[in-house]
């Protein structure tokens, strides 16, 4: 029996190779996964945080994820990944057999590599979720993820009957399931659980948005708070000084001395129109020169600061004071 004819491929078709891309991506993820896991546990050690359920699932997650990356590199090196399949069938059929055998390994590793990182995320959710509905949802999701992973592994192992029928097409009465449908339904369950896990913490985050907004606005409120504090403090100081020198703090009687202070003042005759009993600032100065000096300094400071002085409406005598 003569060998089948070799297909006539276009020039350069057989030599085409992109397997280096797969190797580069696999190596990059190996470095990233090991680095982030090391940083995680290093941070836990430095901060002396007690390990939780999320930490328990990290080591097996790292192990199976590294396994997926390693199998990808092996497939490039020995199974012809990165080259055209029809060219491999024509010139290197052994590589295609190796690829079919590696398919079993990568399917089992993939199903388990997806399970453990998700369980770690759910373990973290259980740290922060205190309400019962959220915790129950997390546990239910964990059960679905574990069940889907187990189903994926079993389905992969039972893909072909007998087991070697995947790479040995000469076995009589062999039967294999549709691998495209297998990956489609396994991926669908993973996508649904991914979406639910993404949406699950959103209500908790929404309740914190108001707190984040307030916290974000506080630094910018500093000038407003400082201005309000300055004005209130100035007003209080004005009131204290006015009471000290015998003046009321009311709006309509700003220049009228307090009753208790008027009764204690010596009679000086009619110093205002129609003997209204206004107390002249000269008399106050005669009684307490140091107090008037304080008033002058206080008035000058307020004028320089652009503030309305507490004694802006006081009557001024002809000598300018």
């Amino acid at each position: 029996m003569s060998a089948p004819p070799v297909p006539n491929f276009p020039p350069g078709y057989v030599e085409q190779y992109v397997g280096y891309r797969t190797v580069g991506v696999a190596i990059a993820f190996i470095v990233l996964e090991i680095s982030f896991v090391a940083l995680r546990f290093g941070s836990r050690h430095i901060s002396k945080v007690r390990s939780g359920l999320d930490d328990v699932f990290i080591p097996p997650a790292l192990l199976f994820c590294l396994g997926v990356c390693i199998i990808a590199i092996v497939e490039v090196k020995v199974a012809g990944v990165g080259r055209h399949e029809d060219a491999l069938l024509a010139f290197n059929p052994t590589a295609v057999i190796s690829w079919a055998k590696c398919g079993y390994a990568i399917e089992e590793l993939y199903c388990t590599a997806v399970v453990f990182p998700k369980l770690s995320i759910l373990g973290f959710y259980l740290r922060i979720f205190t309400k019962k509905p959220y915790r129950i949802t997390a546990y239910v999701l964990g059960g679905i993820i574990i069940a889907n992973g187990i189903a994926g592994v079993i389905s992969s192992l039972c893909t072909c009957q007998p087991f070697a029928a995947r790479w040995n097409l000469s076995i009589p009465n062999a039967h294999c399931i549709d691998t495209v449908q297998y990956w489609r339904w396994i991926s669908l369950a993973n996508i649904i659980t991914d979406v639910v896990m993404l949406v699950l913490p959103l209500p908790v985050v929404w309740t914190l948005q108001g707190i984040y907004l307030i916290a974000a606005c506080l630094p910018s409120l500093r000038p407003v708070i400082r201005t309000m504090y300055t004005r209130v403090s100035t007003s209080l100081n004005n009131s204290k000084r006015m009471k000290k020198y015998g003046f009321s703090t009311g709006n309509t009687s700003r220049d009228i001395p307090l009753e208790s202070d008027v009764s204690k003042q010596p009679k000086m005759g009619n110093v205002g129109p129609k003997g209204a009993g206004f107390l002249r600032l000269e008399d106050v100065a005669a009684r307490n020169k140091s107090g008037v000096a304080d008033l002058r300094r206080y008035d000058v400071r307020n004028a320089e600061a652009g503030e309305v002085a507490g004694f802006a409406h006081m009557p001024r005598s002809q000598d300018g004071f």
Side-chain angles (χ1 to χ4, degrees), residues 215-296:
C217 292
L218 282 177
S220 62
L221 294 178
R222 183 179 179 183
V224 177
I225 296 174
R226 178 183 293 175
T227 302
M228 293 176 62
Y229 174 80
T230 302
R231 292 186 177 181
V232 172
S233 178
T234 301
S235 177
L236 292 176
N237 289 335
N238 286 345
S239 299
K240 291 180 180 179
R241 290 180 179 274
M242 290 170 69
K243 290 180 180 180
K244 178 179 178 181
Y245 295 108
F247 290 89
S248 171
T249 58
N251 293 331
T252 59
S253 58
R254 179 181 287 273
D255 299 328
I256 302 176
L258 299 176
E259 278 187 20
S260 58
D261 295 327
V262 171
S263 62
K264 297 178 182 178
Q265 302 298 332
K267 294 182 179 180
M268 298 182 180
N270 295 336
V271 295
K274 298 183 180 181
F278 284 86
L279 189 63
R280 295 176 61 84
L281 288 179
E282 289 87 341
D283 300 327
V284 176
R287 296 179 55 196
N288 195 344
K289 293 183 179 180
S290 61
V292 174
D294 290 340
L295 287 175
R296 284 178 174 174

Side-chain angles (χ1 to χ4, degrees), residues 6-303:
V6 177
N8 186 16
F9 296 111
Y13 183 81
V14 177
E15 291 77 15
Q16 287 181 355
Y17 173 74
V18 292
Y20 61 88
R21 299 177 183 174
T22 303
V23 174
V25 172
I27 292 175
F29 272 95
I30 288 174
V31 174
L32 289 173
E33 289 167 353
I34 293 176
S35 300
F36 275 94
V37 171
L39 290 172
R40 175 191 177 93
F41 285 104
S43 176
R44 285 282 196 272
H45 177 73
I46 293 173
S47 59
K48 302 185 184 303
V49 176
R50 187 177 63 178
S51 298
L53 192 61
D54 51 336
D55 297 306
V56 174
F57 291 117
I58 288 296
L62 175 64
L63 179 64
F64 287 109
C65 288
L66 291 178
V68 172
C69 295
I70 293 171
I71 288 296
I73 296 174
V74 171
E75 285 188 322
V76 172
K77 298 301 182 182
V78 303
V81 171
R83 299 187 182 276
H84 294 288
E85 183 180 359
D86 49 358
L88 289 174
L89 288 172
F91 296 101
N92 191 7
T94 305
V96 179
I97 295 175
S98 299
W99 173 79
K101 291 179 179 180
C102 289
Y104 275 118
I106 201 167
E107 288 171 3
E108 274 75 47
L109 287 172
Y110 168 78
C111 291
T112 51
V114 169
V115 169
F116 285 102
K118 289 186 175 182
L119 293 179
S120 178
I121 295 174
L122 291 176
F124 174 72
Y125 284 175
L126 292 174
R127 281 178 180 262
I128 61 177
F129 290 159
T130 57
K131 294 183 178 181
K132 191 174 182 179
Y134 292 103
R135 298 182 65 86
I136 293 176
T137 305
Y139 282 118
V140 171
L141 271 177
I144 294 174
I145 291 169
I146 293 173
N148 185 66
I150 295 174
V153 172
I154 295 175
S155 300
S156 175
L157 294 175
C158 299
T159 298
C160 292
Q161 296 296 329
F163 188 79
R166 173 175 283 192
W167 62 84
N168 189 355
L169 303 180
S170 63
I171 298 177
N173 300 322
H175 175 73
C176 294
I177 65 174
D178 189 344
T179 54
V180 175
Q181 294 295 328
Y182 164 80
W183 283 108
R184 179 176 297 167
W185 289 105
I186 289 294
S187 300
L188 178 62
N190 287 328
I191 293 172
I192 293 175
T193 53
D194 287 344
V195 172
V196 176
M197 290 176 61
L198 181 64
V199 174
L200 184 60
L202 290 182
V204 179
V205 175
W206 287 336
T207 59
L208 298 177
Q209 284 182 353
I211 298 176
Y212 290 145
L213 179 61
I214 295 173
C217 292
L218 282 177
S220 62
L221 294 178
R222 183 179 179 183
V224 177
I225 296 174
R226 178 183 293 175
T227 302
M228 293 176 62
Y229 174 80
T230 302
R231 292 186 177 181
V232 172
S233 178
T234 301
S235 177
L236 292 176
N237 289 335
N238 286 345
S239 299
K240 291 180 180 179
R241 290 180 179 274
M242 290 170 69
K243 290 180 180 180
K244 178 179 178 181
Y245 295 108
F247 290 89
S248 171
T249 58
N251 293 331
T252 59
S253 58
R254 179 181 287 273
D255 299 328
I256 302 176
L258 299 176
E259 278 187 20
S260 58
D261 295 327
V262 171
S263 62
K264 297 178 182 178
Q265 302 298 332
K267 294 182 179 180
M268 298 182 180
N270 295 336
V271 295
K274 298 183 180 181
F278 284 86
L279 189 63
R280 295 176 61 84
L281 288 179
E282 289 87 341
D283 300 327
V284 176
R287 296 179 55 196
N288 195 344
K289 293 183 179 180
S290 61
V292 174
D294 290 340
L295 287 175
R296 284 178 174 174
R297 288 193 294 271
Y298 185 78
D299 199 24
V300 170
R301 285 199 301 269
N302 282 346

